[in-house]
Amino acid sequence: MAIFSDDDDIQKPIKPAKKEKSENLESKEIAFDKSFENNIRPKKLSEYIGQSALKNTLQISIDASKKRQKQIDHMLFYGPPGLGKTTLASVIANELDTKIKVTSAPALERPRDIIGILMSLKNGEILFIDEIHRLNKVTEEILYPAMEDFFLDMTTGKTQTVKTLRVPLPHFTLIGATTKAGALSGPLRDRFGIIHKLEFYTKEELTQVVLRTAKILDIEIDEEGAKIIAGRSRGTPRIANRLVKRVADYAIVKSNGKITKNTAQDALDALHIDASGLDSTDRALMNLIIEKYDGGPVGLETIAAALGEDAKTIEDVYEPYLLQEGFIQRTPRGRKISPQGYRMLGYKIPSAQQSLF
Ligand code: ADE
């Protein structure tokens, strides 16, 4: 399998992930970048931790596609960032022994961007479009017949002599990923055969992710150390993997390089990541609602402006975890702190809220 990335540059082939061996490394200070993510990415469905309902569905689709020698159905994965949507797409390509081209909606600005990619595909290959809810109308309309009948509708000539030409396309599979399934247009959503939400990971699943990543990076770690990192990763493998690297650096500098319960705790405390996995922005957001807005409700735009973040980042990156953990609530009039939220930050629950719970 070859992965063409970097997310918005589909022309640049990325070398197949190379296993890092400790003896190849100058030091354990491996830069955290795309190649780090590619190295630790699972290649097979059996190596992919968590999302068991989705994996079962996918295994059947993969087996059926192989047996029938037909491309796998178009798929839409949605859910908060960092849960492994791109990883899963590359696992599917690998399992089907086919190529995947990775791009994202903002890179598909002009009709020729999407037409160029579609025409470069071969039968059975996968096109992965990240942030698919951000496709513009023209690009979406090019995709409808492409997804449904594997045709491009091209027009030639000027007003009076205009002719529509149906250009056949290879039988490809589109995998779309989005953090906002609700923002996808109905006609586009209807063209996906499999639509699946990725869930936050449990602490046990993240512990497995941490142990697996540490092993690939040749970092010494014990189960207790892995559990501490897992518990502070906001249910998100991308965060867990980043923290493994940060904690490993800390362990090398401050002790013997091994990640234990104590080194993990000290390192994460130094990074201001508390035991619930909340970081400084999470806490600033909740403190703002409590201290400036009496616990809410307060509008998203107001929160974003006060924190100096954009509303989309607050909504897509920070809120999903705070909502899932029940620290904040969404109401028609804005965001509110829940009793758990007050408790988490060490505040007394206001009496008006106590009567409700
Ligand atoms: N790295 C990131 N996500 C992963 C997952 N779900 N399983 C294994 N390794 C991962």
Side-chain angles (χ1 to χ4, degrees):
M1 180 200 59
I3 299 180
F4 292 76
S5 197
D6 177 2
D7 294 10
D8 53 6
D9 176 10
I10 57 118
Q11 307 304 339
K12 193 173 71 188
I14 280 187
K15 285 189 207 105
K18 200 176 89 192
K19 280 222 171 64
E20 295 281 8
K21 292 248 174 67
S22 58
E23 58 271 27
N24 291 339
L25 300 174
E26 295 279 327
S27 81
K28 290 188 179 178
E29 305 265 332
I30 314 142
F32 182 83
D33 57 11
K34 282 268 164 211
S35 69
F36 166 74
E37 272 192 37
N38 282 332
N39 281 340
I40 59 171
R41 227 169 227 170
K43 310 285 177 295
K44 296 195 190 127
L45 211 51
S46 58
E47 294 168 16
Y48 189 97
I49 295 154
Q51 313 294 343
S52 54
L54 175 53
K55 277 192 300 190
N56 291 340
T57 308
L58 288 177
Q59 189 65 66
I60 291 171
S61 299
I62 289 167
D63 293 346
S65 163
K66 281 187 187 161
K67 269 199 172 154
R68 292 156 68 198
Q69 297 199 307
K70 200 168 171 277
Q71 79 286 348
I72 198 160
D73 281 348
H74 302 305
M75 293 177 214
L76 178 69
F77 297 147
Y78 68 98
L83 299 191
K85 298 185 279 291
T86 314
T87 302
L88 206 48
S90 77
V91 164
I92 293 167
N94 193 54
E95 289 276 359
L96 290 168
D97 202 15
T98 191
K99 277 188 187 165
I100 179 167
K101 290 191 176 180
V102 177
T103 187
S104 71
L108 303 172
E109 210 182 311
R110 301 155 304 179
R112 69 164 187 257
D113 297 325
I114 186 68
I115 291 171
I117 297 178
L118 290 171
M119 296 193 49
S120 75
L121 294 168
K122 299 200 177 69
N123 277 336
E125 289 186 354
I126 292 174
L127 171 61
F128 179 82
I129 304 182
D130 203 5
E131 296 190 74
I132 195 158
H133 62 278
R134 293 177 66 186
L135 283 180
N136 62 50
K137 192 96 199 92
V138 176
T139 305
E140 255 198 37
E141 281 172 3
I142 293 169
L143 274 175
Y144 297 159
M147 290 173 76
E148 211 158 67
D149 302 318
F150 305 105
F151 273 105
L152 274 180
D153 282 328
M154 306 269 248
T155 49
T156 57
K158 298 236 162 76
T159 14
Q160 254 117 50
T161 57
V162 72
K163 278 200 191 106
T164 310
L165 213 68
R166 300 211 96 191
V167 180
L169 285 172
H171 287 205
F172 70 103
T173 295
L174 176 65
I175 303 184
T178 179
T179 50
K180 289 172 165 277
L184 223 65
S185 75
L188 183 57
R189 203 171 43 238
D190 291 346
R191 283 170 171 83
F192 289 98
I194 296 174
I195 301 184
H196 223 290
K197 180 174 182 219
L198 275 82
E199 304 288 348
F200 282 112
Y201 290 62
T202 64
K203 190 172 161 191
E204 290 68 36
E205 289 165 348
L206 284 181
T207 303
Q208 295 311 310
V209 171
V210 167
L211 290 170
R212 178 181 178 276
T213 299
K215 190 168 175 206
I216 294 171
L217 298 180
D218 200 25
I219 292 165
E220 234 194 306
I221 188 167
D222 64 21
E223 179 105 13
E224 290 305 303
K227 278 188 189 163
I228 297 290
I229 297 176
R232 300 195 190 189
S233 299
R234 303 174 103 254
T236 307
R238 184 185 292 157
I239 297 180
N241 286 334
R242 277 196 185 139
L243 293 182
V244 171
K245 172 68 179 56
R246 304 295 298 276
V247 174
D249 288 349
Y250 184 94
I252 288 167
V253 174
K254 300 277 186 185
S255 66
N256 59 0
K258 179 172 175 178
I259 300 178
T260 60
K261 184 174 175 181
N262 285 342
T263 43
Q265 265 166 348
D266 293 349
L268 295 169
D269 288 347
L271 289 169
H272 302 291
I273 294 166
D274 69 25
S276 65
L278 300 187
D279 66 16
S280 49
T281 307
D282 295 314
R283 281 193 298 263
L285 189 154
M286 289 170 48
N287 275 322
L288 176 83
I289 303 178
I290 294 173
E291 285 170 11
K292 291 257 164 50
Y293 299 96
D294 256 348
V298 54
L300 174 66
E301 294 290 343
T302 309
I303 296 173
L307 294 177
E309 286 277 0
D310 83 341
K312 191 177 162 343
T313 308
I314 299 285
E315 196 175 20
D316 296 349
V317 178
Y318 292 99
E319 275 192 352
Y321 184 69
L322 297 176
L323 286 165
Q324 127 113 14
E325 294 295 296
F327 295 143
I328 62 168
Q329 294 161 341
R330 248 180 175 152
T331 74
R333 290 172 46 230
R335 278 59 173 169
K336 267 178 71 175
I337 297 290
S338 70
Q340 292 98 301
Y342 280 105
R343 237 177 271 127
M344 159 60 60
L345 293 185
Y347 286 87
K348 243 183 91 201
I349 303 168
S351 45
Q353 285 235 18
Q354 264 171 357
S355 60
L356 297 173
F357 291 90

